Amino acid sequence: MTVTAAPEAPPVLEIADLTRHYPHAQGTVRAADGVSLTVRRGEVLGLVGESGSGKSTVGRCAVRLDTPTSGTVRINGTDITRLSARRLRPLRKDFHLVFQDPSSSLDPRMTVGDLIAEPLRLHRLAAGAELDARVSRLLQQVGLRLDFADRRPHELSGGQRQRVSIARALSVDPDLLIADEPTSALDVSVQAAVLNLLADLQRDRGFGCLFITHDLAAVEFLANRIAVMYLGQIVELADTADLFADPRHPYTQALLSAAPLPDPAAQRGRERIVLSGDLPSPAAPPPGCRFNTRCPVAVDRCRTEVPPLRTLPGTTRQVSCHLAADS
Amino acid sequence: MSTATATPAQQTAPAAAAARRPGRLRRLIASPLALTGLVIAAVLVAVALAAPLITPYDPTLPDFDHVLSPPSLSHWLGTDDLGRDQLARVFYGVRASMQVGVLAVVLAFLIGVPLGLVAGYYGRFADTVVSRLTDTMLAFPFLVLAVGLAAVLGPSLLNATIAIGVAQIPAVVRITRAETLRLRHLDYVAATIANGGGDGTVLFRRILPNAAPALIVQATVGIPGAILGEALLSFLGLGVQPPSPSLGVMLSSAQSFIAQAPWMAVFPGLVIVAATLAFNLLGDGLRDVLDPRGGTA
Amino acid sequence: MTPTPSGGPEPVLTVDGLTVSFRSRYGSVQAVDGISYELAPGEVLAVVGESGCGKSVTSMAVLGLLPPTAHTTGSIRFADGRGGTRELLGADERTLGSVRGKEIAMIFQEPMTSLNPVLTVGRQIAEVLRRHQGLNRAQARARAVELLGLVGIPAPDRRVDEYPHQLSGGMRQRVMIAIAVACDPRVLIADEPTTALDVTVQAGILDVLRNLREQLGTAIVLITHDLGVVADIADRVLVMYAGRAVEQGTVQEVFAEPRHPYTRGLLDAVLRPGTRPEGGRLREIPGVVPRLTDSPDVCTFAPRCDRADERCTALRPALDTAAHAAACWHPLAGAAAPAPSEATR
C-alpha cells in the first residue's frame, strides 16, 4: 500500500485546468477554478478539502455527471470533456463512482443482485448464468453473503449498502474508481471495514483511484499522494508521507493541526493553528491568494498577487504559496 | 443498577430482519377511511362491469304504465318520467361514468406522462415549451376547459371522454415533471448514468417506477374529477345523449320533476357523491401507503 | 445507590437506571436500557457511541423531549445548587418548563434547523432573555451582544442584527450556543455539536465549549461519535452500546486502558492522523449492532466479541459506576492491551 505507484505507470485520469462555474444570484460561483491532477494506474490519489472546496465538483466532472466550464478530462488518454452522452456511454465501463451516501445511491426498488448486475447488463458484458456467477463472485469479494442478492437496500445496514455500492462500481472492472466520501456516512467501526475493503480491492485489482474526502486520517490510510483543495483550487499536492511529515501550505498545516487525535494526552499537549474568519464565498473569492483572509502568516504580497502552483525544486511536491521555502 | 426485567436472549434480532415492514395492502386496509374508499370503489367497478347481468329492466325502454312511480319492491329506486327503472339507469349510469373516468385518466396519462418526463428530464427548451403549454391550459378552470372542448367536438360520450381527458393533462404533466425533477438529482439516478445507462434506461427503469406512487395517487384523484366532469357535461347536454343513461343525464331530466319525484335526483346524486368520496379517500390512503418516507418506520 | 465520582461536590444531574422503550404498531424497540450517570458541576461528560446506541435518546429524556410513544422508567434528578432537587422523568410541563432552557440547555447537530430564519440572531437571543430573565429591550440587546462575544463571534455588535442565513455553519452553531447559555444554565447538553462542521471550524466550537466551562462553570454532557472530540475536551467518558452503558471512567483511563472489548474495538477502528495502522490494516469489529426489542439478560456485545463464553450469553454484566469500570465478564487487563503506536508527529 505504501509503495508509490511507479511514475511510468500510464495515467488513467488526467484533469487539466478544469474549471466549473455556476451562475448564481450573487455572481458566478467558481466551484472549481483551474484544477489539474493525474491519477496513474495502481495509484490512489486523495483529494482533500472542506465543504465548499470544490472537491466533489471535480469528482463529478471527472465522471461527466457534470460538464466542466473549461479544461479537459482525459480517461485512458481519451478526451471525454465534450463527448456526447451517446459516445460517452460505452466508455463508462472504464471509470466508476462510489457515492457518499449508499442509501440514496441505490434504487430502493431493486434487489442487491440487480443493483450489482446493472453495469454488466447495460454494457452487455454478461448475461444468464455467467451474469449470476459474476454477481456471486462480486458479493463474495466485498464480503457479503450470497443470499444478500435477493434483498433490497432497506434491509441492509449502512456498511453493507456501501459494500453493494463498491461491488457495483467494480463489476465491470474499471481502470478508474472515483470514491466521493465513501465512508463519511458510516459509523467508526464500519468505516474501518469499508476502508480495509477498498485498500484490499485496490491492491488486488490495481485500478487507479481518486479518493475524495474531508477526512485526513482516511486519506492518509488509503492514498499514495494527496491533493489539498481550498476554495476551488489545489493548494498543495505531495506524497502522503511527505505531506503529513512536513505540510508546506499554511492551509494544509491548519487542516492537519485541526483534526483531533483520539488520544487525550497527545491531543491536549499539541499546539493547534486555529483559523480566523469564515470560508469566503466561492462567488467572490478574495484577490491574490485565496487563503489570505484566513492565513496566519499572510503578507501584503499574498493579498495582491496570485501564487502559482509550483513544483518545489528537487521534489515532486507542488505548493501554491509565496512563502513556502524551496527546500 | 438496572430496573429492566430479564427476558430471553432470542429477542435480539438483527436490524435487517426487523426492518421488514408489513405489506402495502395490509397497511392500506388498516386505515378505516382508506378501507371505506376501497370497498365503495370496488362495488362501483363491479356494478359497472356487471350492469347488464344484475338489472332485470332495460334502462332505455319506456314503460308508460309506471311513470314517476316512487321507490317500491318492483322498482327499488322508483321510475322516471318515462317509466324507466331508475335502478337500471343508475347501474348503467355508473357504467358510463366509470368508462369516462377510466378512459379519460388513461388518455391524460398517455399524453401527460411523456410530456412531464421530457420536460423534467431534458429541461431547457423542452421544459419551457411544455410548461408554457400547461400553464396556459391551467389558466382555465378544469370544467370550463372540458365544457369548451366538448362544445367544439360535439356532444357524444366519446367526445366528453376526450374533453375531460385533455382537461386533465396539465395536472398529470405537472406532477410527472415535478417527480422527474426530484428524482433526476438523486444519486441512484446519477449512478445509473455512471453505470452506462442511456436516457431510456434512466427514464423508464429509474424515474418512472419511482414516480409511480405519486402518479397512482394522481390517477385515483383524477377518476372522481372525470366522473364529476361527465355528470356536468351530460347535464349540460354535451355528453351522453338521451335515451342512453348517465348520472348527469338523469340529474338533468330530474330537474323538471324535482317536486313530484325527488327520487329521480336523489339517487344519481348520492352515487356521484359516493364515487367522488370513495376515490378521494382511496387516493389519500394510497398516498400514505406508497410514500417511501412514511413506509420505512 | 450510585456514589459520587471521586467524592466531589453534589452532582448537578443524576441519571439513575434510565430505560426508554418505544412501542409502535410494528413492534417495540428498547432504545435505552439501564443508563446511570452523574454529572458534577463544571464537568464535561462525553457520552460516546455509534448511531442507534441510544445516546441521543438519553439526553432527550433529560429534557422531557421524548415523543409520547416512549415508555420510560428510572430517575433523572436535577440539583439547582441552592439545595433543591427536582425529578425530571415524568415531571409535568411546568416543572420541565422551569428547567428547560434555563437550568439545562441543549444544542443540536444542525444549527440551521433550530434557528428561526426570519428573525435576526439578536432578536432570538433577546427573546430568551426577556422571557426568562425579564430584561427590557435595551438590556436584552446589550446582553445579546455580550453573549455573541462570549462565543467568539467577531464584531458582535454588527452580527447581532444579521439573519441566520447570513452566517456560516460555524457561526450559526456559535449563535445556538449563545442562546443556550443566555440564562446561565448549570448544564449544557450538546448533541453532536460539531458533526456537521468542518474540522477547522470544529476546533473553534470546542474552544467555545471549553471557555464556557471555565468562565461560567457550566457542566456539559457532550454526545458524540467522534473519539477525537472526546479526547480533546471530555473529563469523563460513558461508552454506550445498543442502549446500554458498557464502560465509564476518566478520559485518560478509558483511552489508555479500555476495559470493555467494544471500547477497545472502537479505539482500534478509529483512524489516527499521522499514524499508520499495524500491517496496513485497520482493526474491524465483526458483525452488526443488534436491534433490541426488550432487555435480555445477557451481554449484548457477546456475538461480536472474541472473549465471550457461556457466561456472557447467560447473564447480563453490571457496570460499576464507582470508578473506571466496564460492564463485562472478561474485562481487558489494563496494560496488556496492545496500544497502537503513538502519533508520529
Side-chain angles (χ1 to χ4, degrees):
Chain A
M1 267 302 304
T2 45
V3 184
T4 310
E8 56 274 19
V12 285
L13 172 68
E14 294 161 278
I15 293 176
D17 207 21
L18 176 116
T19 62
R20 179 66 175 106
H21 295 174
Y22 301 95
H24 186 261
Q26 277 115 51
T28 307
V29 172
R30 298 159 180 274
D33 220 0
V35 172
S36 301
L37 53 83
T38 302
V39 179
R40 294 181 182 278
R41 172 173 284 281
E43 170 192 55
V44 180
L45 175 69
L47 187 60
V48 181
E50 297 185 282
S51 45
S53 63
K55 58 188 189 300
S56 290
T57 303
V58 172
R60 292 180 74 86
C61 285
V63 294
R64 273 293 304 278
L65 286 174
D66 196 349
T67 304
T69 309
S70 68
T72 56
V73 176
R74 287 173 190 277
I75 303 241
N76 287 333
T78 309
D79 185 346
I80 64 158
T81 327
R82 307 270 154 209
L83 278 189
S84 70
R86 188 178 300 273
R87 301 260 311 278
L88 187 61
R89 216 182 308 153
L91 303 180
R92 284 196 178 275
K93 64 178 185 299
D94 295 336
F95 53 97
H96 255 282
L97 184 69
V98 174
F99 293 83
Q100 170 173 358
D101 185 355
S103 52
S104 72
S105 63
L106 302 175
D107 186 339
R109 314 175 71 86
M110 293 170 77
T111 64
V112 166
D114 285 339
L115 283 162
I116 296 176
E118 181 174 64
L120 291 166
R121 284 206 178 107
L122 290 172
H123 289 295
R124 300 181 198 287
L125 292 175
E130 204 216 321
L131 183 70
D132 293 345
R134 284 181 76 164
V135 169
S136 302
R137 205 155 59 231
L138 283 158
L139 278 169
Q140 244 162 357
Q141 282 171 349
V142 297
L144 292 175
R145 288 203 316 273
L146 295 186
D147 61 288
F148 274 64
D150 298 322
R151 299 202 188 170
R152 281 173 214 283
H154 73 263
E155 298 171 63
L156 272 52
S157 72
Q160 290 165 341
R161 283 183 209 151
Q162 199 58 294
R163 286 170 191 267
V164 173
S165 207
I166 292 169
R168 177 175 65 180
L170 297 180
S171 63
V172 288
D173 226 343
D175 299 324
L176 172 70
L177 182 76
I178 295 184
D180 189 358
E181 303 261 15
T183 58
S184 304
L186 306 175
D187 271 320
V188 176
S189 63
V190 185
Q191 237 172 48
V194 170
L195 286 172
N196 277 338
L197 175 67
L198 277 173
D200 292 348
L201 290 168
Q202 199 272 334
R203 190 185 48 231
D204 295 349
R205 294 173 162 234
F207 52 80
C209 177
L210 181 65
F211 182 63
I212 301 168
T213 185
H214 72 279
D215 185 342
L216 283 164
V219 82
E220 181 184 24
F221 171 69
L222 216 53
N224 308 104
R225 290 188 301 140
I226 296 176
V228 180
M229 276 189 83
Y230 183 81
L231 218 58
Q233 295 180 331
I234 291 178
V235 295
E236 184 162 5
L237 202 163
D239 286 349
T240 302
D242 295 345
L243 189 90
F244 274 82
D246 180 20
R248 291 292 180 82
H249 197 284
Y251 177 65
T252 314
Q253 292 165 359
L255 207 55
L256 287 181
S257 92
L261 300 170
D263 177 341
Q267 170 64 14
R268 288 163 200 219
R270 71 191 185 133
E271 204 153 303
R272 279 172 298 164
I273 306 165
V274 175
L275 293 182
S276 60
D278 285 335
L279 187 75
S281 161
C289 171
R290 292 195 171 184
F291 186 57
N292 81 65
T293 54
R294 302 174 74 195
C295 183
V297 295
V299 296
D300 283 346
R301 187 183 172 198
C302 305
R303 293 184 189 81
T304 52
E305 195 183 322
V306 178
L309 188 66
R310 63 199 164 99
T311 305
L312 297 186
T315 68
T316 52
R317 183 195 297 253
Q318 294 176 291
V319 185
S320 72
C321 178
H322 295 306
L323 305 173
D326 280 354
S327 58
Chain B
M1 177 206 116
S2 166
T3 59
T5 46
T7 32
Q10 289 89 309
Q11 301 297 323
T12 61
R20 274 209 191 116
R21 44 194 181 167
R24 288 196 167 132
L25 184 65
R26 204 181 307 164
R27 284 192 293 141
L28 182 68
I29 61 180
S31 146
L33 285 177
L35 181 62
T36 312
L38 185 66
V39 168
I40 299 177
V43 167
L44 289 171
V45 171
V47 164
L49 291 174
L53 305 175
I54 52 178
T55 167
Y57 298 97
D58 183 326
T60 56
L61 206 64
D63 175 1
F64 295 107
D65 296 340
H66 299 95
V67 170
L68 294 179
S69 54
S72 65
L73 278 178
S74 51
H75 296 285
W76 289 5
L77 304 186
T79 61
D80 67 4
D81 52 321
L82 297 176
R84 295 175 295 199
D85 181 53
Q86 284 284 90
L87 185 65
R89 288 184 67 77
V90 165
F91 281 0
Y92 278 88
V94 168
R95 193 177 166 86
S97 292
M98 296 301 285
Q99 212 173 315
V100 173
V102 171
L103 288 179
V105 167
V106 167
L107 176 72
F109 271 66
L110 280 179
I111 298 174
V113 168
L115 283 179
L117 284 174
V118 166
Y121 188 68
Y122 293 103
R124 295 163 190 265
F125 181 67
D127 191 24
T128 311
V129 171
V130 172
S131 295
R132 288 290 164 279
L133 216 69
T134 51
D135 285 348
T136 312
M137 287 175 79
L138 278 171
F140 299 96
F142 164 60
L143 289 174
V144 172
L145 190 61
V147 168
L149 280 168
V152 171
L153 293 171
S156 81
L157 185 64
L158 179 67
N159 286 346
T161 308
I162 293 172
I164 293 165
V166 169
Q168 286 203 350
I169 290 174
V172 177
V173 171
R174 281 225 156 168
I175 197 137
T176 312
R177 176 177 171 272
E179 280 292 290
T180 308
L181 279 175
R182 179 179 72 83
L183 293 164
R184 189 174 72 134
H185 292 290
L186 290 188
D187 281 351
Y188 65 77
V189 171
T192 293
I193 297 172
N195 289 341
D199 291 350
T201 311
V202 171
L203 281 171
F204 297 107
R205 298 276 243 344
R206 294 295 157 269
I207 291 180
L208 199 54
N210 283 291
L215 296 179
I216 289 169
V217 172
Q218 173 62 31
T220 35
V221 182
I223 289 174
I227 291 174
L228 277 178
E230 182 275 329
L232 180 84
L233 291 180
S234 298
F235 182 86
L236 296 175
L238 293 168
V240 176
Q241 294 304 300
S244 297
S246 128
L247 297 172
V249 168
M250 292 172 75
L251 277 182
S252 176
S253 54
Q255 241 188 141
S256 328
F257 305 95
I258 193 82
Q260 301 128 281
W263 57 86
M264 278 180 66
V266 168
F267 293 111
L270 278 179
V271 171
I272 291 174
V273 170
T276 311
L277 190 68
F279 281 99
N280 276 314
L281 287 177
L282 186 60
D284 282 351
L286 284 172
R287 193 193 320 267
D288 295 342
V289 170
L290 295 176
D291 183 355
R293 280 158 304 186
T296 46
Chain C
M1 164 168 158
T2 43
T4 310
S6 66
E10 182 200 21
V12 279
L13 190 66
T14 309
V15 174
D16 198 352
L18 176 72
T19 72
V20 182
S21 56
F22 294 97
R23 307 211 180 284
S24 75
R25 227 178 332 153
Y26 308 124
S28 81
V29 181
Q30 187 78 39
V32 176
D33 187 5
I35 294 290
S36 300
Y37 66 76
E38 290 185 347
L39 182 68
E43 178 185 46
V44 179
L45 171 72
V47 180
V48 186
E50 298 183 280
S51 47
C53 73
K55 56 190 192 296
S56 289
V57 174
T58 304
S59 59
M60 298 298 254
V62 171
L63 286 174
L65 295 174
L66 292 173
T69 50
H71 175 77
T72 56
T73 65
S75 160
I76 299 171
R77 289 185 300 278
F78 169 74
D80 59 19
R82 302 178 292 276
T85 302
R86 271 166 274 181
E87 172 62 47
L88 300 183
L89 198 61
D92 54 32
E93 271 304 311
R94 212 170 55 84
T95 310
L96 285 171
S98 72
V99 171
R100 227 186 257 154
K102 216 164 150 190
E103 308 271 24
I104 305 177
M106 188 157 182
I107 53 173
F108 298 91
Q109 177 175 336
E110 195 31 79
M112 197 54 193
T113 54
S114 325
L115 286 171
N116 185 340
V118 300
L119 295 181
T120 64
V121 298
R123 268 288 291 282
Q124 299 189 49
I125 302 173
E127 220 167 64
V128 181
L129 292 165
R130 298 180 69 184
R131 185 171 352 117
H132 286 307
Q133 302 197 325
L135 301 186
N136 66 32
R137 191 177 288 264
Q139 287 169 324
R141 188 189 151 90
R143 176 92 177 110
V145 173
E146 197 181 311
L147 283 164
L148 289 179
L150 178 75
V151 295
I153 291 183
D157 46 342
R158 193 162 49 80
R159 293 290 183 151
V160 76
D161 294 319
E162 292 191 355
Y163 291 88
H165 70 89
Q166 293 172 288
L167 304 174
S168 67
M171 287 299 150
R172 281 181 214 137
Q173 191 59 287
R174 286 169 196 258
V175 170
M176 283 310 299
I177 297 174
I179 293 175
V181 301
C183 298
D184 202 358
R186 298 200 83 207
V187 178
L188 177 67
I189 298 176
D191 191 349
E192 302 273 6
T194 59
T195 304
L197 305 174
D198 283 321
V199 281
T200 55
V201 178
Q202 166 175 295
I205 297 290
L206 294 178
D207 282 343
V208 169
L209 292 178
R210 233 188 310 270
N211 277 345
L212 290 179
R213 186 260 288 275
E214 272 153 29
Q215 292 183 15
L216 309 177
T218 317
I220 298 174
V221 179
L222 177 74
I223 296 153
T224 184
H225 70 281
D226 188 332
L227 292 167
V229 170
V230 176
D232 193 34
I233 190 172
D235 300 318
R236 280 199 307 133
V237 181
L238 183 78
V239 182
M240 284 183 72
Y241 177 77
R244 296 179 179 180
V246 295
E247 178 156 0
Q248 68 98 24
T250 66
V251 68
Q252 288 82 5
E253 289 166 343
V254 172
F255 276 78
E257 298 177 3
R259 296 269 173 86
H260 199 285
Y262 175 67
T263 315
R264 166 94 262 162
L266 271 187
L267 284 168
D268 284 347
V270 72
L271 290 149
R272 290 152 194 275
T275 316
R276 292 209 80 90
E278 287 168 53
R281 282 184 73 80
L282 297 160
R283 297 257 197 94
E284 304 173 15
I285 306 177
V288 292
V289 181
R291 192 178 107 129
L292 298 181
T293 54
D294 64 359
S295 172
D297 193 10
V298 298
C299 170
T300 51
F301 186 64
R304 306 176 70 184
C305 183
D306 55 5
R307 301 169 75 88
D309 60 13
E310 316 84 68
R311 198 171 173 197
C312 305
T313 53
L315 206 57
R316 174 176 176 172
L319 180 66
D320 181 2
T321 54
H324 180 207
C328 181
W329 292 120
H330 308 289
L332 299 153
S341 54
E342 284 297 308
T344 51
R345 289 189 304 117

